[in-house]
DNA sequence: TATTGACTTCAAGTCGACTTGAGGTTGTAG
DNA sequence: CTACAACCTCAAGTCGACTTGAAGTCAATA
């Protein structure tokens, strides 16, 4: 497939595909003249990358885990990423509960509502800021 | 408290505190000369902000929900953010499962392992890229 | 064969979330 | 009363993840 086809089926702009290739996340199977050609396999790989981005992994993190044949590398890394996801989900659950409570609670100030504070303090454990960066807005 | 105290207890640099103030996320209760003074309440608010950042909300999103007295604004917004968190957690669960499977599975290529693909396809539903941006690495 | 639209490269721009730096002010310990 | 650490402002820089733009190449259709 050429890059245009990959772009339409993956729903990613060609600029992003070139950028991913430059970063070593995907590779073309060759060129026809200047033009990149891709194996259809790239589609699944791109889906995996998008999924990773969607759950908050950086391109570098994804790159560490993603060899030509899918997720791989040392199993410990994979498992530790899985654990990180679990931790983050625990926090997200607390925040979600806090939001639902705030939406339901009649208290004038949530900062003084013990239930609200309790919900969020559970998650407040381990309150470190991320070392490098941000996360997608939950648009996804 | 002065900004230095807030910084040490919140574990956020003063530059971040000034930046948050500029964005309207927090406010000082006044000045002594040039120097900002804060009510102790700001600490909880900063904890809420950090928590929000940690689970992937942008400062703007947090700002929408965070009035002087904590989470507030229209309940529908709060509930829809809660729903977004649920959706993202569903994806994260799928990825986590995929990672654990990949770590355990002896198949040479996960891209051809039906179990792996099935795990991730669950999450592959609704595969759109976020409109604006990223998410913290899971350092937190 | 000439055009055109899809491709190419490379450099620079953008956005969110901060951080850093230069240059200035001030509350307080000595 | 002076030194100085801690504050201040404002502009510019950084980082990840892309996007945009200029300028060029080329395969396929008219």
């Amino acid at each position: 497939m050429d890059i245009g086809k990959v772009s339409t089926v993956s729903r990613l702009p060609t600029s992003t595909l070139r950028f991913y290739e430059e970063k070593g996340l995907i590779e073309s199977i060759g060129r026809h003249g200047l033009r990149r050609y891709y194996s259809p396999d790239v589609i699944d790989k791109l889906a995996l990358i998008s999924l990773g981005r969607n759950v908050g992994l950086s391109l570098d993190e994804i790159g560490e885990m993603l060899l030509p044949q899918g997720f791989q590398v040392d199993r410990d890394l994979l498992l530790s990423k899985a654990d990180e996801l679990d931790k983050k989900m625990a926090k997200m659950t607390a925040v979600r509960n806090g939001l639902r409570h705030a939406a339901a609670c009649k208290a004038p100030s949530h900062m003084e509502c013990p239930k609200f504070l309790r919900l969020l303090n559970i998650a407040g454990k381990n309150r470190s800021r991320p070392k490098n960066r941000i996360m997608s807005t939950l648009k996804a």
Side-chain angles (χ1 to χ4, degrees), chain A residues 3-69:
Chain A
I3 202 173
K5 189 77 197 309
V6 176
S7 170
T8 58
V9 350
S10 69
R11 322 256 261 117
L12 294 170
T14 59
S15 59
T16 300
L17 300 175
R18 290 189 203 98
F19 176 71
Y20 283 180
E21 183 168 339
E22 203 178 322
K23 287 224 92 184
L25 293 170
I26 60 173
E27 55 284 311
S28 49
I29 203 61
R31 299 252 180 156
H32 281 193
L34 277 184
R35 302 176 181 202
R36 292 163 175 82
Y37 268 76
Y38 296 92
S39 144
D41 298 4
V42 81
I43 296 301
D44 281 344
K45 199 158 183 183
L46 287 168
L48 232 52
I49 294 171
S50 291
L51 198 47
R53 295 281 301 113
N54 248 305
V55 305
L57 300 170
S58 70
L59 292 181
D60 286 352
E61 285 177 307
I62 294 170
E64 288 178 67
M65 301 191 288
L66 207 54
L67 296 185
Q69 50 286 336

Side-chain angles (χ1 to χ4, degrees), chain A residues 102-113:
Chain A
C105 178
K106 290 299 184 188
S109 165
H110 295 303
M111 289 321 246
E112 279 139 41
C113 171

